[in-house]
Amino acid sequence: MSVIEAASARVLAGHTGAVNSVAFSPDGARISTASEDKSARVWNAATGELVHTLTGHTDAVFAAPFSPDGTTIATVSADLTPRLWDARSGTCTHKLVGHSIAVFGVAFSPNGRVLATTSYDETIRIWETASGRSVQVLEGHNDIVYGAAFSPDGKLLATASGDSTTRLWNVATGAVLRVLTGHTGIVSAVAFSPDGALIATASFDGTARLWEVATGNCVRILNGHTDTVWSLAFSPAERVLVTASEDATARVWDAVSGALIRTLEGHTDSAFVVAFSPDGRLIATASSDTTVRLWDAATGKAVRTLEGHTGAVSALAFSPADRRLATASTDETARIWAL
């Protein structure tokens, strides 16, 4: 295993608070970051130069993803008001008013025409991207809604909540289709399988679960972690799921049988975020131990350790265009690593 140190990374410096998220544009040319300093920033991914600073929020910004066509950035904040920005000019196009408490999560639909925001106010709101118009208010959870994921066809939305449930919604009508019950702790993350047939959920109860979309039945309980499961991701290449946990490990599972394939060990503190590379060949894990580790997805072998951050690594994203990885940290920087 090789170690890539700070000198090998391009450092994106300028935020004055912890960086909460990082995302590549669909063409890999730009990177967005969201920070506790009440701003989001857009950077040139090749040079690391600052392109735009998105200012206007009055409290921490939690996420700033690009739309699937790369023309729009959505930001969510503790100031209650998500915003939409023109990604080319950096100007705010719409302020989305309706939530009553901090807005934590955001997801664009696959075609980018709508986005979902999730809030501490226990609701999810669906917005029309072009106009900023509120389309649906999804009510039913009775605790914070931490995250949301659209199905691959964009017709369904799955939401993860502090009420220990996941809900499946019809995006067009706003109707709840199924309530997925069984976890005994906060549901921290949710994802659809690439074929849309399964939903995976992660929980503070130390387990992950696999659910059949068609029926809402829990088909597998993934036991093995010894603490909170923070994050999960499906492989884009096969029916494999990886989970990351407070127990400092990531685990790779067969998403058909539920069998544990291997455990990825090496971090010395919480493994907070996990992601597959676009080709499914690499797994990246980000940790509170200030490092990112890269693993061979086929063998579980530790390939590289990325060292240089001086705070917990809070987010990571693979470039969709080439072999680069972007990371965000509580040390107030983001970094771009050539892999």
Side-chain angles (χ1 to χ4, degrees):
M1 180 178 70
S2 61
V3 175
I4 300 180
E5 299 182 346
S8 301
R10 193 176 299 279
V11 180
L12 309 183
H15 282 297
T16 57
V19 183
N20 293 320
S21 77
V22 63
F24 276 95
S25 61
D27 62 3
R30 294 187 177 187
I31 289 173
S32 65
T33 53
S35 172
E36 294 288 322
D37 68 8
K38 307 176 187 178
S39 77
R41 292 181 178 231
V42 182
W43 314 78
N44 183 304
T47 66
E49 293 179 39
L50 179 64
V51 179
H52 301 299
T53 300
L54 310 183
T55 58
H57 285 295
T58 58
D59 210 329
V61 184
F62 298 122
F66 287 86
S67 61
D69 66 3
T71 63
T72 302
I73 295 170
T75 54
V76 289
S77 169
D79 71 4
L80 321 185
T81 56
R83 292 175 184 240
L84 296 174
W85 310 78
D86 185 306
R88 291 157 295 195
S89 66
T91 57
C92 181
T93 57
H94 300 290
K95 185 177 178 180
L96 310 182
V97 178
H99 285 295
S100 59
I101 312 179
V103 185
F104 187 75
V106 60
F108 280 99
S109 64
N111 64 14
R113 293 176 184 170
V114 298
L115 73 154
T117 54
T118 66
S119 174
Y120 283 53
D121 68 12
E122 304 178 4
T123 72
I124 308 97
R125 289 180 178 252
I126 308 294
W127 313 84
E128 190 176 75
T129 305
S131 67
R133 182 175 66 91
S134 178
V135 180
Q136 303 287 353
V137 180
L138 311 183
E139 298 179 300
H141 284 298
N142 55 34
D143 205 327
I144 296 166
V145 187
Y146 286 100
F150 281 93
S151 60
D153 63 8
K155 294 180 180 180
L156 304 175
L157 186 76
T159 54
S161 173
D163 66 11
S164 303
T165 74
T166 299
R167 288 180 178 244
L168 190 63
W169 312 81
N170 181 305
V171 173
T173 66
V176 62
L177 302 177
R178 292 176 185 84
V179 180
L180 310 183
T181 60
H183 282 298
T184 57
I186 289 168
V187 182
S188 49
V190 61
F192 278 90
S193 60
D195 63 4
L198 295 174
I199 291 171
T201 55
S203 174
F204 278 37
D205 67 13
T207 73
R209 290 179 179 239
L210 290 167
W211 313 79
E212 190 175 62
V213 172
T215 64
N217 292 334
C218 178
V219 292
R220 299 285 182 266
I221 300 174
L222 309 182
N223 288 299
H225 285 297
T226 58
D227 209 326
T228 295
V229 184
W230 287 114
S231 176
L232 48 75
F234 278 100
S235 167
E238 53 188 336
R239 295 290 284 272
V240 170
L241 181 77
V242 62
T243 54
S245 172
E246 184 71 20
D247 68 11
T249 73
R251 291 177 180 246
V252 183
W253 312 83
D254 184 313
V256 176
S257 68
L260 177 65
I261 298 172
R262 60 185 59 90
T263 301
L264 309 181
E265 297 179 293
H267 285 298
T268 58
D269 205 339
S270 172
F272 191 64
V273 187
V274 64
F276 275 95
S277 61
D279 62 8
R281 296 174 64 183
L282 289 176
I283 295 169
T285 52
S287 173
S288 297
D289 68 10
T290 76
T291 72
V292 174
R293 290 179 178 249
L294 296 175
W295 315 81
D296 184 300
T299 66
K301 179 183 177 182
V303 178
R304 290 177 180 171
T305 300
L306 311 184
E307 297 183 347
H309 282 297
T310 57
V313 185
S314 51
L316 53 79
F318 280 98
S319 167
D322 52 35
R323 301 283 282 188
R324 286 178 298 167
L325 182 74
T327 56
S329 172
T330 59
D331 67 10
E332 304 183 356
T333 73
R335 292 173 186 253
I336 309 169
W337 310 82
L339 305 180

